[in-house]
Amino acid sequence: MSSTSSTVPKRQLGMALRKHREALAMEREEPARLLDCSPSKIGRIENGDVGVKSSELRDLLGLYQVKGRERADLERLGQQSRQRRKRTTYGTALPDWFRRYVNLEEGATSVRTYDVELVPGLFQTEDYARAVTQASPLPAPADVDRLIAARMARQARVTGDDAPELHAVLSEGVLRTQVGGPDVMRAQLTKLREVARLPNVTIQICPFGAGAHAATGFPFTLLRLPNADGLDVVYLEDLTAARYIDNDPMEQQKYGLIWSYLIRAALSPAKSIKLVTTLMDVP
């Protein structure tokens, strides 16, 4: 887990607090009375949206009768959740809704993503990232370089000591769309082939010939966080916002099911890279 982000320990702590409260068949109103706050704040703490002060955490652990090693572990999580993120030169260029994604991605043990139009940011070359960023009128010109720097910085985790498992399924159209022109695309396809050789990376291509499949028209990303009880955070992005499904097990399981069907519809990793190599030679 990255030491620069408090998002993951916040979520882990919130999940643990919710589990203890529910084990006692206790509604949110009771811890809310103890902390002299609203039940909605208890909900935000449990969802990892806000931090909890050390004194508040002490009171909650006492209320939930948490003792011994587990109490010490949760207090340590509390300390980690209150750590401030290191400043970067690009932080303010990222919108808030995407900054949360970056924080989750930093702490994820696996990232599974399906895209129908673009190479995922973790695998983009700088020229490809620049072409994508400059194609939109929304980023301020002064922010373009900072947005690209942020994308390149995220890629450190691909080969880092704590690299997550990365699995990308891409529509064949991603390979054939000439982002930045032929030279930029050739370099991008070369990079895709290179990262696919890494032991923690799997790339599959869903060919045009596959026709309709379970995820047709619905790109999504699944982020597996430590101690997540087998459930992924589902990330859905649109033009100016994002949706996170992280507290609805039934919905989260549906995306996991769709993923299992999707990877069966796609080419095998070996055949996928063979297609990437073939398209590298297309003028």
Side-chain angles (χ1 to χ4, degrees):
M1 181 177 66
S2 171
S3 62
T4 62
S5 173
S6 64
T7 300
V8 172
K10 259 185 208 169
R11 284 184 50 81
Q12 291 178 292
L13 180 60
M15 289 169 59
L17 292 173
R18 180 191 296 119
K19 181 184 288 187
H20 281 291
R21 177 179 61 77
E22 292 177 344
L24 295 171
M26 192 181 294
E27 299 297 327
R28 289 175 179 166
E29 283 75 10
E30 191 164 342
R33 283 193 295 271
L34 178 68
L35 300 189
D36 192 22
C37 68
S38 66
S40 64
K41 177 180 176 179
I42 299 299
R44 292 196 297 274
I45 289 173
E46 293 178 348
N47 290 335
D49 294 331
V50 298
V52 56
K53 298 176 182 177
S54 58
S55 59
E56 293 175 329
L57 180 57
R58 254 193 328 270
D59 290 342
L60 290 174
L61 294 177
L63 177 65
Y64 301 152
Q65 303 169 33
V66 183
K67 301 176 182 178
R69 172 64 67 85
E70 186 177 11
R71 184 183 181 109
D73 289 343
L74 293 182
E75 287 176 340
R76 186 161 46 251
L77 269 180
Q79 291 175 346
Q80 293 172 356
S81 73
R82 292 187 291 274
Q83 290 177 352
R84 287 187 175 275
R85 183 181 176 86
K86 293 179 181 177
R87 288 184 177 275
T88 67
T89 58
Y90 52 77
T92 56
L94 298 175
D96 289 342
W97 55 266
F98 187 67
R99 193 176 297 118
R100 181 184 177 194
Y101 173 83
V102 173
N103 291 340
L104 291 172
E105 184 184 77
E106 283 184 354
T109 59
S110 79
V111 180
R112 296 180 290 171
T113 188
Y114 168 58
D115 208 308
V116 299
E117 200 165 18
L118 293 175
V119 172
L122 288 175
F123 302 145
Q124 291 180 6
T125 65
E126 185 170 340
D127 287 338
Y128 184 100
R130 184 173 297 278
V132 170
T133 304
Q134 291 182 328
S136 171
L138 298 182
D143 285 340
V144 170
D145 286 342
R146 295 199 296 160
L147 289 169
I148 295 168
R151 194 163 303 177
M152 296 300 103
R154 286 168 53 205
Q155 296 182 7
R157 283 214 73 209
V158 176
T159 56
D161 293 337
D162 60 346
E165 295 295 320
L166 301 170
H167 192 162
V169 178
L170 309 177
S171 165
E172 183 177 340
V174 172
L175 309 182
R176 294 186 180 275
T177 302
Q178 291 289 307
V179 173
D183 291 341
V184 170
M185 277 308 299
R186 191 171 293 110
Q188 179 60 75
L189 295 180
T190 300
K191 180 166 183 176
L192 267 184
R193 188 174 65 174
E194 290 172 352
V195 297
R197 296 192 180 108
L198 296 172
N200 60 309
V201 175
T202 302
I203 293 176
Q204 290 181 257
I205 306 302
C206 200
F208 291 146
H213 54 77
T216 296
F218 298 100
F220 62 93
T221 297
L222 304 176
L223 298 155
R224 178 65 57 88
L225 302 178
N227 304 320
D229 294 331
L231 292 174
D232 299 296
V233 175
V234 182
Y235 174 74
L236 307 170
E237 182 179 317
D238 61 28
L239 187 63
T240 59
R243 180 184 173 208
Y244 295 83
I245 304 175
D246 57 0
N247 193 25
D248 189 333
M250 290 186 65
E251 288 297 303
Q252 290 166 274
Q253 289 167 5
K254 287 177 184 178
Y255 278 90
L257 177 64
I258 292 299
W259 178 265
S260 68
Y261 275 77
L262 174 63
I263 59 176
R264 290 202 292 269
L267 297 174
S268 69
K271 289 182 178 179
S272 295
I273 296 311
K274 184 175 180 180
L275 177 58
V276 171
T277 301
T278 299
L279 292 176
M280 285 170 55
D281 298 327
V282 175

